[in-house]
């Protein structure tokens, strides 16, 4: 039988049930889950996936996020195997059907992330700030269990930078997934910030 993945990967995931994940990711990567143990990303964009692997090595020291297992290239494709992080993504129906809870979870997630102290300033994006930011702070990248934040995924754009990198994406993602802007004022109020159109456009565009 032909192998789907490089032998190194096949050995690690042998015997585990594989399912392709097709919802809630826009990268164009192929994404597979192996039971509740591993996630494998396969991409033609080798440099981007390698950057995500390296960022995960760094940030998993500080926050609850998947720990990298293996990164390799084969036939001009990148393969990144990481731990499976258990939790429900915030674009799950249980949260989208309860916008008030969803907003509280978003605020909790931002607070956890932005209050995390990072000694290693390896990935400084803006010297003006000292805040750990996700960089793609969208609902599918935040996990919760029993209405509590349990971790973050897809951290390839993370680094020390302007908190508005995350505020902007949280606003965009809330509006995109709820298909309304009605809840944005409440999110801003709970974050204790005012809307900054200049920064919003800077980080979303």
């Amino acid at each position: 039988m032909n192998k789907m993945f490089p032998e190194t990967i096949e050995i690690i995931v042998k015997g585990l049930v594989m399912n392709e994940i097709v919802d809630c990711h826009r990268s164009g990567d192929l994404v597979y889950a192996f039971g509740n143990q591993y996630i494998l990303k396969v991409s033609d964009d080798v440099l981007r996936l390698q950057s995500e692997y390296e960022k995960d090595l760094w940030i998993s020291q500080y926050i609850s996020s998947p720990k990298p297992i293996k990164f390799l290239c084969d036939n001009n494709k990148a393969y990144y195997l990481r731990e499976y992080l258990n939790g429900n993504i915030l674009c799950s129906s249980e949260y989208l059907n309860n916008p008030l809870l969803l907003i509280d979870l978003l605020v909790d997630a931002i607070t956890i992330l932005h209050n995390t102290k990072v000694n290693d300033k390896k990935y400084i994006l803006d010297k003006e700030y000292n805040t750990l930011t996700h960089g793609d702070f969208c609902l599918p990248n935040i996990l919760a269990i029993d209405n509590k934040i349990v971790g973050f995924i897809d951290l390839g754009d993370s680094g020390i930078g302007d908190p508005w990198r995350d505020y902007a994406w949280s606003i965009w993602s809330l509006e995109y997934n709820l298909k309304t802007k009605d809840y944005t004022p409440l999110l801003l109020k709970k974050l204790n910030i005012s809307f900054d159109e200049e920064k919003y456009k800077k980080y979303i565009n």
Side-chain angles (χ1 to χ4, degrees), residues 137-165:
F137 199 85
C138 296
L139 302 188
N141 295 335
I142 307 162
L143 304 179
I145 296 176
D146 295 332
N147 301 334
K148 293 183 179 179
I149 299 299
V150 294
F152 305 88
I153 59 174
D154 290 350
L155 290 148
D157 293 321
S158 61
I160 308 299
D162 184 351
W164 259 96
R165 299 179 75 231

Side-chain angles (χ1 to χ4, degrees), residues 49-136:
L49 203 56
Q50 182 175 9
S51 175
E52 182 175 333
Y53 161 73
E54 292 171 351
K55 286 285 183 71
D56 281 351
L57 283 173
W58 170 70
I59 204 168
S60 60
Q61 304 172 80
Y62 300 105
I63 63 172
S64 176
S65 61
K67 290 180 172 54
I69 303 297
K70 180 71 67 175
F71 176 85
L72 57 88
C73 296
D74 187 68
N75 290 328
N76 298 316
K77 286 186 181 295
Y79 296 82
Y80 171 32
L81 186 72
R82 64 165 174 80
E83 286 183 343
Y84 181 97
L85 190 62
N86 193 36
N88 300 313
I89 53 179
L90 291 194
C91 60
S92 299
S93 59
E94 62 183 295
Y95 302 122
L96 296 182
N97 292 333
N98 190 344
L100 299 184
L101 172 61
L102 175 59
I103 288 171
D104 284 342
L105 288 171
L106 267 178
V107 173
D108 287 347
I110 286 181
T111 301
I112 290 168
L113 197 63
H114 289 186
N115 287 345
T116 297
K117 302 302 181 185
V118 178
N119 299 320
D120 173 11
K121 302 300 193 295
K122 183 176 181 180
Y123 294 103
I124 296 179
L125 306 172
D126 190 329
K127 293 181 180 179
E128 186 179 347
Y129 300 95
N130 195 37
T131 303
L132 179 63
T133 61
H134 187 293
D136 189 11

Side-chain angles (χ1 to χ4, degrees), residues 159-193:
I160 308 299
D162 184 351
W164 259 96
R165 299 179 75 231
D166 292 339
Y167 296 151
W169 281 112
S170 67
I171 293 167
W172 179 90
S173 189
L174 186 71
E175 294 175 352
Y176 175 83
N177 284 278
L178 293 180
K179 299 179 173 56
T180 178
K181 297 184 178 183
D182 290 351
Y183 294 94
T184 304
L186 179 59
L187 175 62
L188 294 171
K189 180 180 179 180
K190 294 211 168 193
L191 287 172
N192 196 29
I193 60 173

